[in-house]
PDB file of all heavy atoms in Angstrom:
ATOM      1  N   MET X   1     106.894  78.775 236.319  1.00 43.00           N
ATOM      2  CA  MET X   1     106.213  79.739 237.148  1.00 43.00           C
ATOM      3  C   MET X   1     106.745  81.136 236.880  1.00 43.00           C
ATOM      4  O   MET X   1     107.087  81.874 237.763  1.00 43.00           O
ATOM      5  CB  MET X   1     106.380  79.376 238.617  1.00 43.00           C
ATOM      6  CG  MET X   1     105.588  78.166 239.021  1.00 43.00           C
ATOM      7  SD  MET X   1     105.777  77.753 240.747  1.00 43.00           S
ATOM      8  CE  MET X   1     106.925  76.410 240.648  1.00 43.00           C
ATOM      9  N   GLY X   2     106.879  81.453 235.636  1.00 46.00           N
ATOM     10  CA  GLY X   2     107.446  82.737 235.256  1.00 46.00           C
ATOM     11  C   GLY X   2     106.546  83.895 235.585  1.00 46.00           C
ATOM     12  O   GLY X   2     105.350  83.736 235.802  1.00 46.00           O
ATOM     13  N   PRO X   3     107.104  85.077 235.625  1.00 47.00           N
ATOM     14  CA  PRO X   3     106.332  86.225 236.061  1.00 47.00           C
ATOM     15  C   PRO X   3     105.317  86.682 235.036  1.00 47.00           C
ATOM     16  O   PRO X   3     105.498  86.547 233.859  1.00 47.00           O
ATOM     17  CB  PRO X   3     107.410  87.293 236.271  1.00 47.00           C
ATOM     18  CG  PRO X   3     108.501  86.909 235.348  1.00 47.00           C
ATOM     19  CD  PRO X   3     108.485  85.420 235.310  1.00 47.00           C
ATOM     20  N   GLY X  13     102.931  82.279 226.283  1.00 34.00           N
ATOM     21  CA  GLY X  13     102.873  80.827 226.298  1.00 34.00           C
ATOM     22  C   GLY X  13     101.500  80.210 226.333  1.00 34.00           C
ATOM     23  O   GLY X  13     101.373  79.056 226.720  1.00 34.00           O
ATOM     24  N   ALA X  14     100.464  80.902 225.945  1.00 34.00           N
ATOM     25  CA  ALA X  14      99.128  80.333 226.067  1.00 34.00           C
ATOM     26  C   ALA X  14      98.798  79.393 224.926  1.00 34.00           C
ATOM     27  O   ALA X  14      99.226  79.566 223.801  1.00 34.00           O
ATOM     28  CB  ALA X  14      98.094  81.446 226.113  1.00 34.00           C
ATOM     29  N   VAL X  39      92.732  73.922 232.646  1.00 98.00           N
ATOM     30  CA  VAL X  39      94.168  74.040 232.897  1.00 98.00           C
ATOM     31  C   VAL X  39      94.448  73.492 234.285  1.00 98.00           C
ATOM     32  O   VAL X  39      93.794  73.883 235.253  1.00 98.00           O
ATOM     33  CB  VAL X  39      94.641  75.506 232.810  1.00 98.00           C
ATOM     34  CG1 VAL X  39      96.143  75.601 233.110  1.00 98.00           C
ATOM     35  CG2 VAL X  39      94.333  76.098 231.440  1.00 98.00           C
ATOM     36  N   GLY X  41      97.532  73.486 236.743  1.00 96.00           N
ATOM     37  CA  GLY X  41      98.845  74.107 236.769  1.00 96.00           C
ATOM     38  C   GLY X  41      99.149  74.829 238.060  1.00 96.00           C
ATOM     39  O   GLY X  41      98.750  74.395 239.145  1.00 96.00           O
ATOM     40  N   ASP X  42      99.829  75.954 237.917  1.00 95.00           N
ATOM     41  CA  ASP X  42     100.358  76.658 239.072  1.00 95.00           C
ATOM     42  C   ASP X  42      99.819  78.080 239.160  1.00 95.00           C
ATOM     43  O   ASP X  42      99.637  78.754 238.154  1.00 95.00           O
ATOM     44  CB  ASP X  42     101.889  76.703 239.024  1.00 95.00           C
ATOM     45  CG  ASP X  42     102.412  77.118 237.665  1.00 95.00           C
ATOM     46  OD1 ASP X  42     101.889  76.638 236.645  1.00 95.00           O
ATOM     47  OD2 ASP X  42     103.341  77.940 237.601  1.00 95.00           O
ATOM     48  N   VAL X  43      99.563  78.479 240.385  1.00 97.00           N
ATOM     49  CA  VAL X  43      99.244  79.867 240.722  1.00 97.00           C
ATOM     50  C   VAL X  43     100.364  80.346 241.628  1.00 97.00           C
ATOM     51  O   VAL X  43     100.689  79.694 242.618  1.00 97.00           O
ATOM     52  CB  VAL X  43      97.877  79.968 241.418  1.00 97.00           C
ATOM     53  CG1 VAL X  43      97.681  81.350 242.019  1.00 97.00           C
ATOM     54  CG2 VAL X  43      96.751  79.652 240.439  1.00 97.00           C
ATOM     55  N   VAL X  44     100.953  81.485 241.267  1.00 96.00           N
ATOM     56  CA  VAL X  44     102.194  81.927 241.898  1.00 96.00           C
ATOM     57  C   VAL X  44     102.118  83.415 242.217  1.00 96.00           C
ATOM     58  O   VAL X  44     101.523  84.188 241.454  1.00 96.00           O
ATOM     59  CB  VAL X  44     103.394  81.670 240.948  1.00 96.00           C
ATOM     60  CG1 VAL X  44     104.684  82.220 241.526  1.00 96.00           C
ATOM     61  CG2 VAL X  44     103.536  80.187 240.661  1.00 96.00           C
ATOM     62  N   ASP X  46     104.330  86.448 242.003  1.00 96.00           N
ATOM     63  CA  ASP X  46     105.568  86.849 241.340  1.00 96.00           C
ATOM     64  C   ASP X  46     106.111  88.131 241.950  1.00 96.00           C
ATOM     65  O   ASP X  46     105.385  89.124 242.067  1.00 96.00           O
ATOM     66  CB  ASP X  46     105.329  87.090 239.844  1.00 96.00           C
ATOM     67  CG  ASP X  46     105.165  85.805 239.053  1.00 96.00           C
ATOM     68  OD1 ASP X  46     105.765  84.799 239.454  1.00 96.00           O
ATOM     69  OD2 ASP X  46     104.442  85.826 238.041  1.00 96.00           O
ATOM     70  N   GLY X  70     100.578  85.619 239.363  1.00 94.00           N
ATOM     71  CA  GLY X  70     101.087  84.994 238.140  1.00 94.00           C
ATOM     72  C   GLY X  70     101.065  83.482 238.234  1.00 94.00           C
ATOM     73  O   GLY X  70     100.274  82.887 238.950  1.00 94.00           O
ATOM     74  N   GLY X  71     101.998  82.862 237.510  1.00 94.00           N
ATOM     75  CA  GLY X  71     102.056  81.410 237.404  1.00 94.00           C
ATOM     76  C   GLY X  71     101.799  80.989 235.974  1.00 94.00           C
ATOM     77  O   GLY X  71     100.949  81.561 235.290  1.00 94.00           O
ATOM     78  N   ALA X  72     102.548  79.999 235.512  1.00 92.00           N
ATOM     79  CA  ALA X  72     102.410  79.553 234.119  1.00 92.00           C
ATOM     80  C   ALA X  72     100.995  79.074 233.822  1.00 92.00           C
ATOM     81  O   ALA X  72     100.395  79.420 232.802  1.00 92.00           O
ATOM     82  CB  ALA X  72     103.426  78.451 233.828  1.00 92.00           C
ATOM     83  N   GLY X  73     100.429  78.255 234.722  1.00 95.00           N
ATOM     84  CA  GLY X  73      99.070  77.766 234.511  1.00 95.00           C
ATOM     85  C   GLY X  73      98.053  78.889 234.536  1.00 95.00           C
ATOM     86  O   GLY X  73      97.137  78.939 233.707  1.00 95.00           O
ATOM     87  N   ALA X  74      98.208  79.799 235.486  1.00 96.00           N
ATOM     88  CA  ALA X  74      97.290  80.933 235.573  1.00 96.00           C
ATOM     89  C   ALA X  74      97.360  81.793 234.320  1.00 96.00           C
ATOM     90  O   ALA X  74      96.329  82.264 233.812  1.00 96.00           O
ATOM     91  CB  ALA X  74      97.612  81.770 236.806  1.00 96.00           C
ATOM     92  N   ASN X  75      98.555  82.016 233.794  1.00 94.00           N
ATOM     93  CA  ASN X  75      98.694  82.845 232.594  1.00 94.00           C
ATOM     94  C   ASN X  75      98.055  82.198 231.378  1.00 94.00           C
ATOM     95  O   ASN X  75      97.429  82.875 230.556  1.00 94.00           O
ATOM     96  CB  ASN X  75     100.165  83.144 232.330  1.00 94.00           C
ATOM     97  CG  ASN X  75     100.701  84.256 233.203  1.00 94.00           C
ATOM     98  OD1 ASN X  75      99.953  85.098 233.690  1.00 94.00           O
ATOM     99  ND2 ASN X  75     102.001  84.259 233.415  1.00 94.00           N
ATOM    100  N   VAL X  76      98.209  80.870 231.231  1.00 95.00           N
ATOM    101  CA  VAL X  76      97.556  80.169 230.117  1.00 95.00           C
ATOM    102  C   VAL X  76      96.041  80.336 230.211  1.00 95.00           C
ATOM    103  O   VAL X  76      95.361  80.637 229.220  1.00 95.00           O
ATOM    104  CB  VAL X  76      97.932  78.680 230.104  1.00 95.00           C
ATOM    105  CG1 VAL X  76      97.053  77.906 229.126  1.00 95.00           C
ATOM    106  CG2 VAL X  76      99.396  78.500 229.710  1.00 95.00           C
ATOM    107  N   ALA X  77      95.497  80.140 231.401  1.00 97.00           N
ATOM    108  CA  ALA X  77      94.048  80.259 231.585  1.00 97.00           C
ATOM    109  C   ALA X  77      93.568  81.667 231.249  1.00 97.00           C
ATOM    110  O   ALA X  77      92.543  81.847 230.573  1.00 97.00           O
ATOM    111  CB  ALA X  77      93.681  79.891 233.020  1.00 97.00           C
ATOM    112  N   CYS X  78      94.317  82.668 231.701  1.00 96.00           N
ATOM    113  CA  CYS X  78      93.905  84.050 231.441  1.00 96.00           C
ATOM    114  C   CYS X  78      94.000  84.405 229.968  1.00 96.00           C
ATOM    115  O   CYS X  78      93.134  85.105 229.433  1.00 96.00           O
ATOM    116  CB  CYS X  78      94.748  85.002 232.280  1.00 96.00           C
ATOM    117  SG  CYS X  78      94.390  84.901 234.041  1.00 96.00           S
ATOM    118  N   TRP X  79      95.049  83.945 229.312  1.00 95.00           N
ATOM    119  CA  TRP X  79      95.168  84.207 227.876  1.00 95.00           C
ATOM    120  C   TRP X  79      94.031  83.545 227.095  1.00 95.00           C
ATOM    121  O   TRP X  79      93.502  84.117 226.133  1.00 95.00           O
ATOM    122  CB  TRP X  79      96.520  83.720 227.356  1.00 95.00           C
ATOM    123  CG  TRP X  79      97.592  84.760 227.425  1.00 95.00           C
ATOM    124  CD1 TRP X  79      98.680  84.772 228.255  1.00 95.00           C
ATOM    125  CD2 TRP X  79      97.688  85.954 226.639  1.00 95.00           C
ATOM    126  NE1 TRP X  79      99.442  85.891 228.038  1.00 95.00           N
ATOM    127  CE2 TRP X  79      98.850  86.636 227.053  1.00 95.00           C
ATOM    128  CE3 TRP X  79      96.889  86.510 225.636  1.00 95.00           C
ATOM    129  CZ2 TRP X  79      99.250  87.842 226.500  1.00 95.00           C
ATOM    130  CZ3 TRP X  79      97.283  87.726 225.086  1.00 95.00           C
ATOM    131  CH2 TRP X  79      98.447  88.376 225.509  1.00 95.00           C
ATOM    132  N   LEU X  90      90.560  76.549 235.961  1.00 98.00           N
ATOM    133  CA  LEU X  90      91.930  76.376 236.432  1.00 98.00           C
ATOM    134  C   LEU X  90      91.920  75.624 237.751  1.00 98.00           C
ATOM    135  O   LEU X  90      91.324  76.073 238.733  1.00 98.00           O
ATOM    136  CB  LEU X  90      92.619  77.727 236.627  1.00 98.00           C
ATOM    137  CG  LEU X  90      94.008  77.691 237.277  1.00 98.00           C
ATOM    138  CD1 LEU X  90      95.007  76.930 236.407  1.00 98.00           C
ATOM    139  CD2 LEU X  90      94.513  79.109 237.549  1.00 98.00           C
ATOM    140  N   HIS X 165      94.972  71.295 229.380  1.00 96.00           N
ATOM    141  CA  HIS X 165      96.361  71.782 229.333  1.00 96.00           C
ATOM    142  C   HIS X 165      96.993  71.581 230.698  1.00 96.00           C
ATOM    143  O   HIS X 165      96.418  71.934 231.728  1.00 96.00           O
ATOM    144  CB  HIS X 165      96.422  73.263 228.947  1.00 96.00           C
ATOM    145  CG  HIS X 165      97.826  73.780 228.922  1.00 96.00           C
ATOM    146  ND1 HIS X 165      98.720  73.454 227.922  1.00 96.00           N
ATOM    147  CD2 HIS X 165      98.498  74.587 229.792  1.00 96.00           C
ATOM    148  CE1 HIS X 165      99.886  74.047 228.170  1.00 96.00           C
ATOM    149  NE2 HIS X 165      99.776  74.733 229.298  1.00 96.00           N
ATOM    150  N   SER X 167     100.500  72.002 233.232  1.00 91.00           N
ATOM    151  CA  SER X 167     101.772  72.660 233.500  1.00 91.00           C
ATOM    152  C   SER X 167     102.790  71.604 233.917  1.00 91.00           C
ATOM    153  O   SER X 167     102.558  70.835 234.845  1.00 91.00           O
ATOM    154  CB  SER X 167     101.625  73.700 234.610  1.00 91.00           C
ATOM    155  OG  SER X 167     102.901  74.169 235.003  1.00 91.00           O
ATOM    156  N   GLY X 168     103.934  71.587 233.223  1.00 86.00           N
ATOM    157  CA  GLY X 168     104.961  70.600 233.509  1.00 86.00           C
ATOM    158  C   GLY X 168     105.543  70.710 234.896  1.00 86.00           C
ATOM    159  O   GLY X 168     106.140  69.753 235.398  1.00 86.00           O
ATOM    160  N   TYR X 169     105.389  71.860 235.549  1.00 86.00           N
ATOM    161  CA  TYR X 169     105.912  72.012 236.897  1.00 86.00           C
ATOM    162  C   TYR X 169     105.368  70.940 237.837  1.00 86.00           C
ATOM    163  O   TYR X 169     106.046  70.495 238.765  1.00 86.00           O
ATOM    164  CB  TYR X 169     105.555  73.386 237.466  1.00 86.00           C
ATOM    165  CG  TYR X 169     106.414  74.502 236.953  1.00 86.00           C
ATOM    166  CD1 TYR X 169     105.925  75.413 236.034  1.00 86.00           C
ATOM    167  CD2 TYR X 169     107.733  74.645 237.379  1.00 86.00           C
ATOM    168  CE1 TYR X 169     106.714  76.443 235.546  1.00 86.00           C
ATOM    169  CE2 TYR X 169     108.533  75.666 236.897  1.00 86.00           C
ATOM    170  CZ  TYR X 169     108.016  76.562 235.978  1.00 86.00           C
ATOM    171  OH  TYR X 169     108.796  77.568 235.497  1.00 86.00           O
ATOM    172  N   ASP X 197     103.081  72.038 228.840  1.00 86.00           N
ATOM    173  CA  ASP X 197     104.242  72.920 228.811  1.00 86.00           C
ATOM    174  C   ASP X 197     105.296  72.281 229.708  1.00 86.00           C
ATOM    175  O   ASP X 197     105.071  72.130 230.911  1.00 86.00           O
ATOM    176  CB  ASP X 197     103.842  74.302 229.335  1.00 86.00           C
ATOM    177  CG  ASP X 197     105.025  75.217 229.585  1.00 86.00           C
ATOM    178  OD1 ASP X 197     106.149  74.868 229.172  1.00 86.00           O
ATOM    179  OD2 ASP X 197     104.832  76.283 230.202  1.00 86.00           O
ATOM    180  N   ALA X 199     107.780  73.395 231.116  1.00 71.00           N
ATOM    181  CA  ALA X 199     108.164  74.299 232.201  1.00 71.00           C
ATOM    182  C   ALA X 199     109.670  74.477 232.270  1.00 71.00           C
ATOM    183  O   ALA X 199     110.321  74.641 231.248  1.00 71.00           O
ATOM    184  CB  ALA X 199     107.573  73.822 233.518  1.00 71.00           C
TER     185      ALA X 199
END
Side-chain angles (χ1 to χ4, degrees):
M1 288 180 259
V39 179
D42 47 317
V43 168
V44 175
D46 285 330
N75 280 336
V76 169
C78 290
W79 270 110
L90 173 63
H165 179 73
S167 171
Y169 282 106
D197 169 11

